[in-house]
Amino acid sequence: METTITHYRCGDCGSEQLVQPSNPHPDDIITCVSCGATWTVREVQQASLEATTLAAIDKLDDVIGKD
């Protein structure tokens, strides 16, 4: 059984229609319903962590006034 993922967007086509197994493990596959692009759960988790870290650094730079 598959479940739809929310709050993520396909890096290839921009679709928000992504599916993954109901109980995902790091090596399971996430698939874009629109274009068929695939990634492992681990790849998506790492990309999400990197994006969150960069956003936090940017916010800190804004708060403390560094460019």
Side-chain angles (χ1 to χ4, degrees), residues 46-63:
Q46 288 173 340
S48 180
L49 179 60
E50 290 171 9
T52 302
T53 301
L54 291 174
I57 289 169
D58 286 344
K59 183 67 174 174
L60 284 172
D61 286 347
D62 290 345
V63 169

Side-chain angles (χ1 to χ4, degrees), residues 8-15 18 32 35 37 39:
Y8 288 93
R9 188 178 304 257
C10 176
D12 292 348
C13 74
S15 172
L18 306 175
C32 175
C35 74
W39 308 270

Side-chain angles (χ1 to χ4, degrees), residues 21-61:
S22 294
N23 186 20
H25 299 284
D27 292 325
D28 287 340
I29 300 296
I30 294 173
T31 304
C32 175
V33 174
S34 295
C35 74
T38 60
W39 308 270
T40 64
V41 170
R42 178 180 291 115
E43 290 171 325
V44 172
Q45 289 172 335
Q46 288 173 340
S48 180
L49 179 60
E50 290 171 9
T52 302
T53 301
L54 291 174
I57 289 169
D58 286 344
K59 183 67 174 174
L60 284 172
D61 286 347

